[in-house]
Amino acid sequence: GAVVSQHPSWVICKSGTSVKIECRSLDFQATTMFWYRQFPKQSLMLMATSNEGSKATYEQGVEKDKFLINHASLTLSTLTVTSAHPEDSSFYICSASGDPSGYEQYFGPGTRLTVT
Amino acid sequence: AQTVTQSQPEMSVQEAETVTLSCTYDTSENNYYLFWYKQPPSRQMILVIRQEAYKQQNATENRFSVNFQKAAKSFSLKISDSQLGDTAMYFCAFMKHGTGNQFYFGTGTSLTVIP
């Protein structure tokens, strides 16, 4: 099956700094990528949807200036958490789809962010 | 808005036995997809099974099958011959057909298979 990778798998950063998380589709072209956030023992919450070459669509309540999403190519999307604070500590998961219907979607392994 | 409800936060089953996980959803859409995802301790989301709403026949994948009741907006997952590797969080998810393509996930059911 299709593979989606995320890098890094785990990152610790100091409060006030920015951190970038990469999501790559390794063996297919992802026209759409999604970013989710998951708190411990909770469900996945969709943060934003990004289509290659266009601006991301953010879900209500997600600060677009804090969570910058770039989908510059058909195989790479990045999520940058700017001016991170401890409350941004979470597990971030991306998924990718090369199918216009979105029916075929593949998840990355996730990135654990800890802000100290 | 779409909502997905999983009313069983935790469940357990003896190895080799059968267990059913419940899921209900609320939507005004007629064309949509339903999914069950498994999230083991590694946190990797793994597709277990999926169902197109227009198909009346229940989907099956080896030991996994669903009971899809469209009128009741119910989509339960049955795991037969449970194995230790089935221990995981299970999320039910809804996807609208057409625009958006985003998942709406339920709150999850933590399943433990007891040896």
Side-chain angles (χ1 to χ4, degrees):
Chain A
V3 179
V4 174
S5 69
Q6 278 184 244
H7 178 79
S9 57
W10 183 41
V11 58
I12 302 174
C13 71
K14 292 188 181 297
S15 187
T17 63
S18 296
V19 61
K20 181 184 288 187
I21 301 170
E22 293 185 348
C23 176
R24 292 182 185 273
S25 57
L26 299 185
D27 50 5
F28 69 101
Q29 293 186 324
T31 50
T32 308
M33 287 185 170
F34 305 86
W35 287 94
Y36 296 86
R37 185 173 181 177
Q38 186 178 30
F39 290 105
K41 297 191 178 184
Q42 292 191 25
S43 188
L44 282 71
M45 181 190 76
L46 179 67
M47 298 175 67
T49 302
S50 73
N51 292 293
E52 185 265 338
S54 60
K55 289 184 178 180
T57 302
Y58 290 81
E59 294 297 300
Q60 194 171 7
V62 177
E63 299 175 60
K64 59 182 68 177
D65 293 332
K66 180 167 189 60
F67 299 100
L68 300 178
I69 292 171
N70 183 277
H71 192 166
S73 78
L74 285 171
T75 59
L76 173 64
S77 176
T78 59
L79 166 67
T80 301
V81 183
T82 63
S83 187
H85 287 98
E87 56 265 32
D88 298 325
S89 298
S90 189
F91 194 68
Y92 293 88
I93 302 174
C94 73
S95 70
S97 175
D99 164 29
S101 73
Y103 186 64
E104 298 282 347
Q105 249 185 74
Y106 305 94
F107 284 85
T111 296
R112 181 179 301 281
L113 170 64
T114 301
V115 185
T116 62
Chain B
Q2 278 64 230
T3 58
V4 180
T5 302
Q6 293 179 248
S7 59
Q8 305 151 315
E10 295 181 358
M11 292 192 74
S12 62
V13 62
Q14 288 291 140
E15 193 175 5
E17 296 295 309
T18 296
V19 64
T20 299
L21 279 57
S22 301
C23 173
T24 58
Y25 57 94
D26 186 23
T27 184
S28 57
E29 302 290 330
N30 192 46
N31 294 322
Y32 51 88
Y33 307 113
L34 295 164
F35 303 77
W36 277 98
Y37 275 89
K38 167 184 176 181
Q39 189 180 42
S42 68
R43 308 290 292 270
Q44 173 73 60
M45 295 289 283
I46 301 168
L47 176 65
V48 175
I49 197 165
R50 59 189 171 195
Q51 173 91 37
E52 293 96 329
Y54 68 86
K55 289 187 177 179
Q56 291 187 335
Q57 187 172 5
N58 290 323
T60 62
E61 284 287 342
N62 301 313
R63 299 183 294 109
F64 301 90
S65 62
V66 299
N67 183 2
F68 174 47
Q69 302 289 327
K70 190 172 184 179
K73 296 180 182 175
S74 170
F75 184 62
S76 61
L77 173 70
K78 186 170 84 170
I79 305 174
S80 304
D81 185 25
S82 297
Q83 301 176 0
L84 296 178
D86 295 334
T87 293
M89 280 290 289
Y90 286 82
F91 292 100
C92 178
F94 171 100
M95 178 192 286
K96 230 173 20 174
H97 183 273
T99 60
N101 305 331
Q102 60 263 51
F103 283 110
Y104 297 91
F105 285 96
T107 50
T109 296
S110 177
L111 176 68
T112 300
V113 179
I114 302 166

